[in-house]
Each structure stands twice: as C-alpha cells, then as structure tokens.
Amino acid sequence: MSQTIPRTLPTAKLLNELQTFGARVVDPKAGAASRLGGAGPSDHKALTIDGVTIMVPVHTKPASSSPYLVELPDAQGASRISRNGIDMGAITFPGRPRFYDLTTDDGIPYSKIAVLHGADVLATTVLQSCVRYQSREKTCQFCAIGESLAAGSTIERKTPAHLAAVAKAAVELDGVKHMVMTTGTPPGKDRGASILAESAAAVKAAVALPIQAQCEPPDDDAWFARLRQSGVDTLGMHLEAVTPEVRARIMPGKAQVPLERYFSAFAAAVPVFGRGQVSTYILAGLGDTADAILEMSASLIALGVYPFVVPFVPISGTPLAGHPSPTADFMHGILAPLADMLVQAGMSAASVKAGCAKCGACSSLSTYEQRRHA
Ligand code: SF4
C-alpha cells in the first residue's frame, strides 16, 4: 500500500522536480493535447496541482525515466501522482479548449493558429519560420520551430485576421486571460516587430485581451512605441543564455546580436512599456553558472526588466535532445535568491500584464515570489 504525503500547497521543490524530471503519464491523451515541436514549451503537458498549472515534460527522453508517475484520471478527472511509488496527491489536466473545434472561413483549424498554454494563455507563433533556422550552424540548438510545421500541426504565417478570430473565440469560449505572440525572426531589420504590431492591432480591435509580443531587439528603438500603440502590453526580448561563450555555443546565429544591443534595447523599451513589463527568458542548465544567471538578473532588474528563468528542457528532434535538464537543486539555487531580488525591487509576476512571466507555467519562480511575500 502506498504512503501519502500530506500537502496543502505544492512545494517549489515539487514543481522544480516535475519541470526538470518530467513525468510518466499513463494516458498521454488525458486533458488538452500536448504538442511536439514548435516554439515555447514542446513535448510538454499542462497539469494543475493544488491550483497551480505548470508545463511538465512528458514526451522527452528524461521523462521516460522520471520518478513521477501520473495515473489514469478517475471519474472526476483527478489523477493520482506518485514519486518512486510514494503517493504525492492528485492532479488534474486542463481540458481541451472549445476553440480548438472551430475552423476559419478558409478551412484552417483554429488549433493550427494558436494554442492554449498553461491554464489561461493563448499562444501563437505568428511566423513559424526563422532566418536563423536555415542552417544548423546558425540554429538555436534548443529550438524546434520547424518541427511542428513539418508535422503539419501549425501553419507558417498566421494572418492578423486569423489571430483576431481565434483570440475572440478563445476569450468567449474558454476564458483565456492573456496572449503570447512570438515569432521566428524574419530577414528584415525589424526582427518581426512589424508583423507583431499588425497582429496585435487586429486582436485588440476584436477583443480586449492583454498581449505580450516577443522578438529579438529590432534595428530601431522607435519600434517599441509602435508596438505599444498597436496594443502590445508587454514585451519579451529573450537572452536565453547569459555568458558570451554559452551564447556562441548554443545559439551561434542569435549570439551575433551582442549583449550590449539587448541592454540598449531594454533601456529604451522599459520607459515605453513600464517597469516590470519588459522581460527576458533565460534557460538555466545550458552551461551558465547560477552565479552568472543571478549576476545578469541583478543587472536586468536594475533596468526594470523581469528575468524569467526557466529550466532547460531537451526537445525531441533538436541538437540538444540528449542534453540533460538542470537539477531541481540547481533551479532552487537560482530561483530562491532571484525571487528575493524581485520582491526587494518591487517587481512580481502578478503585476506583469501579460506573457510568460505572468503565466509562469514553465518555471516555479512565481511560487518562490509568493512564498517570499507570505
Ligand atoms: S510560461 Fe510562456 S511559454 Fe511557458 S506555458 Fe506560459 S506562456 Fe507558454
């Protein structure tokens, strides 16, 4: 007979372990469909534990030997989760969104235009191709943007009209609360800011939905005001790795944009979007030390930029498919002091208007913040 560990809140350690080990799921079809390939969390499944929804790797290589096992859902939709045979409580899977059943007038399933992330986030990759994805020398080694396109689970270019229709339906049918618009980097100097601006304007004309846009720093800082005027509420410009050696090794193409340009872009964007409304995504576990990530985070916070640090998860079909995830202890060593720094600076995931930092499903950082506040 299994032993049960009583809990009232998910511990940060439990969340860190689930996000780094992943989980074996007896019925991978339970809840909303998981996604293979693509930008953002791929090979993952959303699950909710004690009211917190997180993205947990289920289709990655390490997940197949995870100590965590999720049983079949019962009649109420709850599944027992155990760690090495010890019962850890119950989880649920967010259900399949209703907007997935719709198609556009030109016959494209809405699920190929945008997908549900976490509990209440609509996520889309406006342009599912990238100037840096053409050659393996330039490709970001962790990225799978071409995989879901090759698999036929998405389309290459989502038009503003597509996005407006899907966003409206996702709000009305499924109650989504905010939207993430990312993009592969097109060849132009604006780095995708132009298509993000036209997409945001179309969505905002259709429905009141807070939007985060994500792109590389564009050539001209004037794009920040244009994005804001188009209806973009928050902006993500993602460093991914923080030290020059790791940047050059993991993302040889994107590393050609120097850290200095990221910092000048952050300095120009924060006055436009507001303190804490500009963020960056940092993947821990790719070679940067905890100290390097914390040092970079301190510089970002001083500028008013929210550093969203997430554990690296190896995605099938990428050059890093066999690269290990960081340990839960490594994540704890970063996220605990980082949450202290954010709280001291008066910045929090809760006050971000839209996007990954607000969603928080890919990192337990916001759980650390809440505990620090408590
Ligand atoms: S944190 Fe960002 S990438 Fe992760 S599930 Fe939420 S919206 Fe998607």
Side-chain angles (χ1 to χ4, degrees), residues 36 108-109 111-113 128 146-156:
L36 296 169
I108 301 166
S111 61
K112 292 192 178 189
I113 294 168
Q128 197 86 27
E147 304 297 317
S148 50
L149 185 61
S153 55
T154 187
I155 58 171
E156 181 167 7

Side-chain angles (χ1 to χ4, degrees), residues 268-361:
V270 169
V272 175
F273 291 93
R275 203 163 163 279
Q277 305 300 335
V278 176
S279 59
T280 194
Y281 209 95
I282 295 172
L283 292 164
L286 289 175
D288 290 318
T289 63
D291 284 347
I293 291 174
L294 287 168
E295 197 178 311
M296 175 62 78
S297 297
S299 303
L300 292 162
I301 291 169
L303 267 182
V305 175
Y306 186 103
F308 186 54
V309 179
V310 309
F312 163 73
V313 173
I315 306 299
S316 313
T318 67
L320 294 182
H323 191 287
S325 290
T327 64
D329 284 346
F330 184 76
M331 293 310 300
H332 176 77
I334 296 171
L335 299 179
L338 177 55
D340 286 349
M341 288 156 59
L342 285 164
V343 171
Q344 278 166 18
M347 289 163 69
S348 70
S351 55
V352 176
K353 294 179 199 162
C356 289
K358 183 174 191 66
C359 164

Side-chain angles (χ1 to χ4, degrees), residues 18-23 42-45 55-60 63 313:
L18 280 169
Q19 287 170 330
T20 52
F21 285 133
S42 303
D43 299 2
H44 286 57
K45 204 164 186 60
M55 300 301 283
V56 175
V58 295
H59 298 299
T60 59
V313 173

Side-chain angles (χ1 to χ4, degrees), residues 40-41 55 117-118 121 123 178 180 214 281 308 355-357 359-363:
M55 300 301 283
H117 276 200
V121 186
H178 53 121
V180 171
Q214 302 177 346
Y281 209 95
F308 186 54
C356 289
C359 164
C362 288
S363 167

